[in-house]
Amino acid sequence: MTSCQTQYLLMLLLSVGVSAVEVQRPRGVPLSKRQFYEEGKPFTCLDGSRTIPFDRVNDDYCDCKDGSDEPGTAACPNGSFHCTNAGFRPGFIPSSRINDGICDCCDTTDEYNSGAACQNTCRELGRKERESLQKMAEITKEGFLLKQQLVQEAKRGLEEKKAKQADIQIGKKDLEAMVEALRTVKETAEQPEKEAKERHLKAWEEQKAVIQMEKDKAKMAEVLSELDDDADGSVSVAELLSHSELDPDSDGSFTEAEAQGLLGGVDKVDSVAFESVWNNIKDKYTSEQANTETPAEVETPGEEIKEPPSDNDSEQYPEEDIPEEEEEDDEEDEEEDQDDGDYKSPPPTQTPDKKEDDDEGTMPPFDQETQNLIDAAQKARDAFDESERALREVDDQVKNLEKEISFDFGPNAEFAYLYSQCYELSTSEYIYRLCPFNRMSQKPKFGGSETNLGSWGHWAGPEDNIYSLMKYEHGTGCWQGPNRSTTIKLTCGKETVVTSVSEPSRCEYLMEFISPAICQEPPSLDAALHGHEEL
């Protein structure tokens, strides 16, 4: 039986005045033990240790070890006195408080021989408690009615989710078929695109080869002209020797034999034969014009070249000291440049990067036929990508629905309404935020980062009322301590609200949370009276 049901029982019993019935029995004896105290018969200690004449009960001398022979006196240190408290709740007090001048029982029966001026406050206390319990009983009743509504809403919601799940599964199959169809369309469109781009690239490579060959011939004719010092249309060993950079072994000594070797073993080659030896010298040959320097370009040994003074007196930034803002701007510019150069088509149809500074120039744009194939393939890729995104979204919907449908929201899914909701409590320092079945957090009220006080773990109540506690675990770690965790204690109410948060142990939080979903059905009057003839 839950605490709410117990309080409701108590309210019903008080309202019918059961506790106001007086039954004759020795002072300090509860009605439940009256049968052990029969006047005129020997009394046996309740622990069974000994039997004494009845006139030694409440004689202000302790005969029983358990103190049961002195229920109405202070003779036994371990005894207890029963307060009848007619009109209010009965109770027990230690025997040491009997006749101590302080009224502990509201009916004043504990001070029967002390002379204390006590007033019987049981009826007034009973009235106040009945009012409080009546209010709680009404809240419990209303809360339970709301719970029944939540159960019905959860039932409808579950049916809707299952119907939606079935519809999505049907739509998913259609979408999967569409994805596969668009994949085929994409692959079919990419094949001629690939072939057309390869043809374009091959033609460009061939064109570059022709351009390079023409440049090479022009270079060869230029070198032949430079080497032919006597202008006889031939290049001799003597003419080669004036170019020491052609020394094959680069040992600093360019001999006639080495020069002759470059000419194919002869002393002289004409313009036709020069083509056959061109490959031997073209990589090392330095133009005579490049070796010609003007007087202004010749550096005078021993003299330091002085740069003109700068108009700006301040020292320029070294490369590593470029201000961060400039570096960021440069990085952004580089990223933009890279983005501008990106081509939509993924491998294997991606064309090589265009090089503006290539000796052969820039690859010409695609012809219209090829561009049409590229556009068609890109359109097919876009359609396929869009269908794949739609399928992923549907998969996410299916997973979320499956998770929600299978979640433990209570015996009748009464807690389902809390899913995807959040509730806050503001204190003088923090704002606490509870998102049931998700996480619990704490955020400073006047600035600062949020702290995770635990993620949803499990229901943690006792076996007979497991849904009365929620456990949130694995929160942010405390400094040199464990990870934070929170226990949520649910109590019955008409509203859904966080009422308090405390930290009873370091890094372990306790939250009081009111919800109608935890309310139990109030017992009837007959059930309250049955088996509860005495409080």
Side-chain angles (χ1 to χ4, degrees), residues 97-166:
R97 296 184 183 179
I98 299 174
N99 292 320
D100 63 351
I102 300 174
C103 301
D104 297 292
C105 301
C106 67
D107 61 0
T108 74
T109 52
D110 60 313
E111 298 300 319
Y112 61 89
N113 197 30
S114 68
C118 297
Q119 292 184 349
N120 190 323
T121 59
C122 288
R123 293 190 179 279
E124 179 62 18
L125 292 174
R127 182 187 66 78
K128 291 181 178 179
E129 184 166 78
R130 283 192 295 275
E131 289 177 356
S132 176
L133 292 175
Q134 178 66 39
K135 185 176 180 181
M136 292 180 64
E138 291 173 358
I139 291 174
T140 300
K141 184 177 180 180
E142 292 181 36
F144 181 71
L145 292 175
L146 289 173
K147 177 181 179 179
Q148 291 177 307
Q149 295 177 18
L150 293 174
V151 170
Q152 293 301 317
E153 290 174 4
K155 184 178 179 181
R156 288 193 297 270
L158 181 60
E159 292 173 353
E160 291 173 359
K161 289 180 180 66
K162 288 183 177 180
K164 184 178 179 181
Q165 185 184 37

Side-chain angles (χ1 to χ4, degrees), residues 443-459:
K443 187 173 183 179
K445 204 167 185 178
F446 305 104
S449 58
E450 187 178 75
T451 301
N452 182 3
L453 300 186
S455 299
W456 166 251
H458 56 275
W459 295 103

Side-chain angles (χ1 to χ4, degrees), residues 24 31 39 116 121 266 274 321 328 331 367 417 423 495 502:
Q24 293 298 319
L31 187 61
E39 191 171 356
T121 59
V266 299
F274 187 72
D321 294 334
E328 292 174 359
E331 291 175 1
D367 60 80
Y417 82 104
Y423 304 88
E495 301 175 318
S502 60

